Amino acid sequence: MSVGAGHFVVVSAALFGIGVFGLLARRSAVGSVMGLVLMTTGADIALVGFSRLGYTDVRPLSGMAFALLAGVVLTAQVLLAAGLLLLVARRGGEDDAPHQGAGAGPPA
Amino acid sequence: MTVNAAAFDVVAALVLAGALVTVAAPSLVHGTAALAATLLGVGVLFVVSGADLVGAVELLVGAVLIPLLLLVAQGRAGARRPTPLASTWPLAALVAALAGAGIMAAGLASRGELRSADWPSLLADDGAARTVARTLLTQDALPLAVAGLVVLTAALGAVALGRTDERELELELAERHRREREERVRRRREDRLRARGRSEAGSGEDAGS
């Protein structure tokens, strides 16, 4: 028995759904980014599967090429998310500083 | 060329299990490890499906680079504490189930338009990797260049966002000095109050005797 389009569709839709759940249900930003990664990967599986089964002679495997480009965009997305997380963490540290010092009383 | 259904099913089941662990694990570190395993499985799935080049890229980028970036971000952001799911997770599960079911239904409804035949002679001769590379470098050269530009811009932006500049370091140093000075003043005041309390207690005893 060979793999048909249904296999790819089921796996990619399930992965996309799990990613949506992660994006909406996780409290932390890193968890949401992980959900986004799963969603994009689900779309990649669909691209590869449909390209594998629905190729054309004119543009063979352009779906796989598109999946590669989607992977590049996913990398860019995670890079920016990591940079933003670092920035937010640093700003949060600065904001906390006055509150930590507030209990010490006014300087003499 | 046909895809081995048994191998596909086993790897797909592992991928979905890994994805579930990724979104449900309370610890983000464990979630990231599960994400790496999931993307590794997706890479294997691509290789099993005959997409060698995409599989290799998925293994390198998905299973190594992305989890590494997320781990670095977690470590610097101090996000190593367990984070439970939000209280609205049943609603999120409902939305996710609806989205997944909708995509599944649309995909299954349109799968009849796909033709399943032998690979064209071009693919049989050159293999998928060479064909995809040729497609990227000829017909899709512009999108490839734009994607390269996008990832370069993102890398530069991430570096610009993540770096600490001189002024920020000076501010942090000044803040640390201010806190140390406040701490010294607080201790000196406590010492003075303690000494005053002792002297008052001593004079009270003298008066009593």
Side-chain angles (χ1 to χ4, degrees), chain B residues 76-155:
Chain B
R76 294 292 296 274
R80 293 192 184 276
R81 296 179 303 275
T83 50
L85 295 178
S87 56
T88 55
W89 71 265
L91 186 65
L94 183 68
V95 172
L98 285 176
I103 293 171
M104 213 178 284
L108 291 176
S110 63
R111 71 180 164 161
E113 295 169 13
L114 296 176
R115 58 197 172 102
S116 295
D118 292 335
W119 284 44
S121 59
L122 178 68
L123 294 182
D125 293 343
D126 288 351
R130 187 176 288 184
T131 308
V132 171
R134 188 181 295 130
T135 305
L136 278 173
L137 293 175
T138 54
Q139 293 167 333
D140 295 336
L142 184 64
L144 182 67
V146 171
L149 205 60
V150 165
V151 83
L152 178 67
T153 311

Side-chain angles (χ1 to χ4, degrees), chain B residues 38-58:
Chain B
T38 304
L39 297 180
L40 185 76
V42 171
V44 174
L45 203 65
F46 286 158
V47 173
V48 166
S49 307
D52 303 339
L53 186 62
V54 189
V57 170
E58 187 70 31

